[in-house]
Amino acid sequence: MQALSTLISIEKDSIQPVYLQIANQLMVFIKDGNLQAGHRLPSTRQMADWLQVHRKTVIQAYDELLAQGWIESRTGSGTYVAKHLPEIHPRSLLNGSVKPINPAHVAGFEFEEAPHLDRPVIWSKHKYHLDDGFPDSRLAPLEELARAYRSQLLTGNPYVRLGYGDTMGSLWLRQVLADYLNDTRGLKVTANNILITRGTVMGLYLSCTAFLQPGDIAVVGELNYNGANMNFLQAGTKLLKIPVDEHGIVVEALAAICRKQRVRIVYVTSHHFYPTTTALRADRRIELLRLAGQYGFIIFEDDYDYDFHYLSKPLLPLASADKAGMVLYCGSFTKSISPAFRVGYLVASENVIRHLAKLRRIIDRQGDNMLENAIAELLQNGIIQRYLRKAMRTYKQRRDVFCELLKNNLGDYLQFQVPVGGMAVWTHFDPAIDINAVAQKALAHELFFSPGYRNDDVTPVLNATRLGFASSTPDELVTCVEIMKKVLKR
């Protein structure tokens, strides 16, 4: 025991009390089998002398171990390691013959890592950015949102406002959102057709978990949002990819698959196809809905940035023309306001929403009631609608500035089409240019942009990426292009 006491390390500057440091280290000795059940511990006076601490400190340490059941006190005999503990064969403490294990880094059990989950997280803290197509949070109605959020915290019945709520989401938000979507998207829904989520990805994950079985066929575009592909692979589906052209997915290729195999779900970004930003042509929309009705597959429509369409009024979603109840329509305020505000929505038939709400309960009991009600207030008062109109004008101006800058300064290095909507430009670099190398060099100048690796799983390699313009001012866009031109010339 005296030898073990020399291994007890006491840090005087630690925020943890000394008695807990002693108790915790003695506990480790017991767990590791270096102090076996029934072993007699030294007296508090003797331990205090060995450790050079006050006796009361050791008494507190022993009391802590007694309270937790690691040791027991026998009247007139002393203090012992609890006899009910199992026998543990100790590891060597001194000669290093046993390889040390750090459970903080590596678990003791085995598990298989899924390759499809190995996807870098976009998280840039650089001064300049041509991101994947994110909004400019500086334009968001933050003051109005803060006031509405504070009002939700402080007014009304606190038991109701601050307690558990509906797994479908805030009723107020669902009611206001139903009116908003009916007015802007041509839908015909009520609050019972809406499930509030943390974002589009959550809506897709719930849908995959609820409606897909291993071996089911999911169809996506050859170029596609990788987050969707990951969800389908995680669900164990057979992922089939169909060609994509300047008008979106080639629906004829989908029809050919349907004639041979049973398709369970088709994922589409019909308004601004990801990543190219093009719109799905009207005849293909009609045919896609017809095929869904004929073959019975689900259409998951991801309408991630509906509000920002510059050529004309936004195109109505597939869900607005769905007469057979085949479309799961998903959107969010993440791309409209800010990625930090995790409020999205999934629109579907009432029985689908009820089923998804049951599933949602076991992974996320509910969302942020305060934030959802605050968003509802801003929607009801027209604040979000006014913000979106202002943001649309601003982003259109930034698109025009950015495309002119690309044309005049980088025309020798890349090609692009001016996007009709969205917040990014789909850009093809010269085949001789290594986008990844250029992106790494740009980071040294405080400029971040995607190296395009998520889009290069097609043959031949496209050497293309999305350059987001919405989150930067015109002056910032000028600097971004100057940096790109500088690194491309090297």
Side-chain angles (χ1 to χ4, degrees), residues 297-311:
F297 59 76
I298 301 166
I299 298 175
F300 190 97
E301 184 175 19
D302 181 352
D303 207 356
Y304 62 96
D305 59 1
Y306 174 86
D307 298 286
F308 306 123
H309 196 73
Y310 313 121
L311 188 62

Side-chain angles (χ1 to χ4, degrees), residues 99-111 113:
K99 184 178 180 180
I101 297 174
N102 187 343
H105 300 310
V106 181
F109 56 87
E110 295 182 357
F111 61 94
E113 295 192 55

Side-chain angles (χ1 to χ4, degrees), residues 71-376:
I71 63 176
E72 56 190 20
S73 179
R74 302 175 189 173
T75 304
S77 177
T79 305
Y80 296 81
V81 177
K83 62 182 179 181
H84 63 267
L85 296 175
E87 182 180 353
I88 302 171
H89 298 289
R91 293 183 295 112
S92 172
L93 289 170
L94 302 176
N95 61 17
S97 61
V98 177
K99 184 178 180 180
I101 297 174
N102 187 343
H105 300 310
V106 181
F109 56 87
E110 295 182 357
F111 61 94
E112 185 176 347
E113 295 192 55
H116 62 264
L117 298 179
D118 188 16
R119 174 189 172 209
V121 176
I122 297 178
W123 184 36
S124 170
K125 290 188 176 180
H126 294 84
K127 185 176 181 180
Y128 302 105
H129 35 78
L130 298 173
D131 48 49
D132 195 53
F134 301 151
D136 190 342
S137 301
R138 294 170 293 187
L139 302 178
L142 300 181
E143 292 184 6
E144 295 89 341
L145 183 60
R147 285 195 293 269
Y149 196 95
R150 184 176 187 275
S151 174
Q152 292 302 313
L153 285 173
L154 301 178
T155 60
N157 184 332
Y159 185 82
V160 175
R161 292 292 182 92
L162 302 177
Y164 285 111
D166 195 328
T167 53
M168 292 171 64
S170 159
L171 176 59
W172 184 15
L173 177 56
R174 289 187 288 119
Q175 290 171 334
V176 175
L177 190 56
D179 293 338
Y180 174 72
L181 295 176
N182 291 341
D183 291 341
T184 60
R185 270 76 160 169
L187 303 184
K188 298 178 179 64
V189 298
T190 69
N192 293 330
N193 296 112
I194 298 175
L195 174 73
I196 303 301
T197 67
R198 298 281 190 177
T200 304
V201 172
M202 181 178 182
L204 181 57
Y205 177 80
L206 289 172
S207 300
C208 289
T209 305
F211 306 124
L212 302 183
Q213 298 293 329
D216 282 349
I217 292 178
V219 177
V220 301
E222 187 177 29
L223 284 174
N224 195 49
Y225 172 48
N226 202 36
N229 294 354
M230 290 167 65
N231 268 282
F232 294 130
L233 292 172
Q234 183 66 22
T237 67
K238 181 181 179 182
L239 192 63
L240 299 184
K241 299 182 179 182
I242 56 177
V244 174
D245 62 18
E246 66 273 18
H247 303 297
I249 59 171
V250 178
V251 180
E252 291 82 357
L254 171 62
I257 293 174
C258 290
R259 287 191 290 269
K260 298 177 182 178
Q261 305 178 73
R262 182 179 180 271
V263 173
R264 178 56 174 164
I265 192 168
V266 174
Y267 173 87
V268 63
T269 45
S270 58
H271 198 209
H272 301 136
F273 182 76
Y274 189 96
T276 65
T277 75
T278 57
L280 187 64
R281 202 169 58 190
D283 60 316
R284 296 188 183 183
R285 290 166 174 260
I286 295 170
E287 179 64 7
L288 180 57
L289 287 170
R290 189 192 69 79
L291 289 174
Q294 179 181 353
Y295 292 104
F297 59 76
I298 301 166
I299 298 175
F300 190 97
E301 184 175 19
D302 181 352
D303 207 356
Y304 62 96
D305 59 1
Y306 174 86
D307 298 286
F308 306 123
H309 196 73
Y310 313 121
L311 188 62
S312 60
K313 288 185 178 181
L315 305 176
L316 293 180
L318 293 167
S320 67
D322 178 24
K323 305 300 182 184
M326 308 305 294
V327 178
L328 303 179
Y329 178 73
C330 211
S332 79
F333 293 98
T334 294
K335 288 294 182 71
S336 301
I337 301 177
S338 170
F341 302 129
R342 307 306 304 170
V343 178
Y345 48 88
L346 190 147
V347 182
S349 304
E350 290 183 9
N351 63 333
V352 167
I353 296 300
R354 288 195 299 268
H355 181 61
L356 291 175
K358 294 175 185 177
L359 178 62
R360 186 251 174 85
R361 183 177 183 179
I362 67 173
I363 64 169
D364 184 25
R365 171 59 177 79
Q366 65 190 56
D368 184 339
N369 279 343
M370 301 299 100
L371 179 58
E372 290 175 16
N373 285 333
I375 295 289

